[in-house]
Amino acid sequence: MASPASSAPGGVAVVGSGLIGRSWAMLFASAGFKVKLYDIEQRQVTYALDSIRKEMKLLEQSGSLKGSRGAEEQLSLISSCSDIREAVEGALHVQECVPENLELKKQLFAQLDGIVGDQVVLSSSSSCLLPTRLFSGLVHVKQCLVAHPVNPPYYVPLVELVPHPETAPATVDRTYALMRKIGQSPVRLTKEVDGFALNRLQYAIISEAWRLVEEGVMSPGDLDLVMSDGLGMRYAFIGPLETMHLNAEGMLSYCGRYSEGMKRVLKTFGPVPEFSGAAAEKVHQAMCVKVPDDPEHLAARREWRDRCLMRLARLKSQLQPQ
Ligand code: NAI
């Protein structure tokens, strides 16, 4: 396989120019890659280019634009494309970002399979569709994988790389290197698992959060504080395993001290919640007191969250790991 795409023409094709496609386009451009942005809806690409321009200008003004190039230079690297063949021609990496619909994505990958050569990586942004469902039977299956970003990808760098059983190791290596080059933080799963890693962890937390609220142990507001003012403070810097290691004299010491307690508590966890009925109403009402669920309030809160994430990302980059 060829080396990762460079700033040479035809570096990256982004297929689907919605929320995630726009973010990928900005990230690739920030590292100097030429990006062709394709969407089945021409007006969607026009809107995407317009909103990328606005966002990059704002990021530049606030000193938060990624990469060493200015906004205009980065913008000049992104072009729109209304023909999928033209979009992927010469690309060394295709990042698919169409809606999370198995049939739609399968059709698209079948189409790409018939167009591309054997040098390109075909990468899906899917949040939860397994590679065996997306790529099985494709001629170019060795070149396919899922590269699952986290919203908003511009501020949250994690990307989960999930291979199909037939994905070539070189495909994963190349994508890993590309993700590092654009400033993201890739992690490798050696095999597919439902929910990948991030959502498995997230669902474990949501599930226990729900039970604690449903059983009346805590209010929804206090429950969220347990994360935002408790666990989340350190999880922005160290993960759960390193937390164990540091909270005793190393991991084995932690296991020796706390494993019985952990197992005792874990055995008290209840069944998977239904996430409906009275409990859902109660949580919904509590959330709406804080953030009413009309589009304006939700958008304003998301903007605030993204500003916080941006500042946290800046802080993290200033704090050198020891
Ligand atoms: P979106 O709905 O904002 O954008 C999808 C875009 O794909 C639209 O512009 C649509 O016109 C276009 N499209 C539809 N069919 C197409 C086709 N056949 N060819 C080309 N373009 C087509 O969706 P969003 O949120 O950007 O999600 C995209 C993918 O990223 C999904 O697989 C989703 O699961 C994944 N993802 C989403 C996250 C999120 O928080 N929104 C987070 C991580 C991954």
Side-chain angles (χ1 to χ4, degrees):
M1 278 195 175
S3 61
S6 70
S7 51
V12 177
V14 173
V15 177
S17 63
L19 184 69
I20 295 299
R22 294 199 295 272
S23 294
W24 278 122
M26 288 169 62
L27 287 167
F28 287 122
S30 75
F33 290 93
K34 280 204 166 187
V35 182
K36 287 192 200 160
L37 191 53
Y38 166 80
D39 201 288
I40 201 148
E41 296 267 357
Q42 183 53 44
R43 62 198 160 96
Q44 182 62 32
V45 194
T46 310
Y47 169 78
L49 287 178
D50 192 43
S51 75
I52 288 173
R53 166 168 291 279
K54 284 188 188 130
E55 203 171 338
M56 277 196 183
K57 291 284 179 186
L58 284 174
L59 287 165
E60 188 169 53
Q61 277 163 22
S62 65
S64 304
L65 188 70
K66 292 193 176 202
S68 53
R69 296 161 178 81
E72 279 303 333
E73 196 183 341
Q74 294 191 26
L75 285 164
S76 73
L77 294 169
I78 306 175
S79 58
S80 69
C81 206
S82 56
D83 181 79
I84 192 162
R85 277 181 181 275
E86 200 188 305
V88 303
E89 195 184 343
L92 288 175
H93 183 94
V94 175
Q95 188 68 39
E96 168 274 311
C97 312
V98 304
E100 190 79 342
N101 173 311
L102 179 62
E103 284 315 309
L104 175 67
K105 286 194 195 270
K106 276 177 72 170
Q107 271 176 25
L108 180 66
F109 279 106
Q111 189 183 8
L112 290 169
D113 200 35
I115 300 174
V116 299
D118 55 9
Q119 295 298 308
V120 68
V121 165
L122 298 178
S123 171
S124 172
S125 302
S126 177
S127 311
C128 57
L129 298 171
L130 294 176
T132 43
R133 304 195 74 195
L134 289 167
F135 310 130
S136 288
L138 296 182
V139 173
H140 296 97
V141 61
K142 285 184 179 166
Q143 297 155 234
C144 296
L145 82 172
V146 166
H148 170 226
V150 184
N151 194 38
Y154 204 79
Y155 308 121
V156 184
L158 188 83
V159 180
E160 296 183 281
L161 303 182
V162 192
H164 182 281
E166 294 173 61
T167 301
T171 300
V172 183
D173 291 346
R174 251 180 70 174
T175 312
Y176 188 94
L178 179 64
M179 293 299 133
R180 292 296 296 261
K181 197 161 181 186
I182 65 171
Q184 296 303 87
S185 177
V187 293
R188 301 166 196 256
L189 277 71
T190 56
K191 57 183 177 186
E192 66 179 28
V193 53
D194 205 7
F196 309 149
L198 183 135
N199 276 327
R200 290 181 80 87
L201 289 176
Q202 175 164 243
Y203 296 160
I205 291 168
I206 287 177
S207 167
E208 184 53 14
W210 198 270
R211 283 188 292 260
L212 287 170
V213 170
E214 191 166 22
E215 288 165 16
V217 177
M218 297 187 90
S219 70
D222 277 359
L223 189 289
D224 272 352
L225 280 179
V226 173
M227 285 304 291
S228 60
D229 282 356
L231 286 177
M233 296 286 288
R234 59 186 177 214
Y235 281 174
F237 299 93
I238 57 170
L241 299 179
E242 191 179 343
T243 297
M244 294 165 79
H245 194 57
L246 298 185
N247 278 4
E249 301 313 310
M251 179 60 82
L252 294 179
S253 145
Y254 188 96
C255 292
R257 281 191 218 175
Y258 300 117
S259 62
E260 286 311 313
M262 279 194 293
K263 288 190 286 183
R264 189 192 70 244
V265 173
L266 283 166
K267 283 177 191 157
T268 67
F269 279 30
V272 174
E274 287 301 323
F275 303 111
S276 62
E281 280 301 325
K282 177 178 163 183
V283 179
H284 177 70
Q285 275 174 20
M287 292 299 109
C288 286
V289 170
K290 196 170 187 185
V291 187
D293 65 347
D294 57 84
E296 289 75 27
H297 281 95
L298 289 172
R301 185 72 173 168
R302 284 187 201 112
E303 272 173 35
W304 171 81
R305 174 202 63 188
D306 290 353
R307 279 201 305 279
C308 294
L309 289 171
M310 183 169 78
R311 294 178 72 168
L312 180 61
R314 210 184 297 163
L315 175 66
K316 280 182 65 127
S317 70
Q318 286 161 2
L319 296 170
Q320 296 298 323
Q322 281 198 321

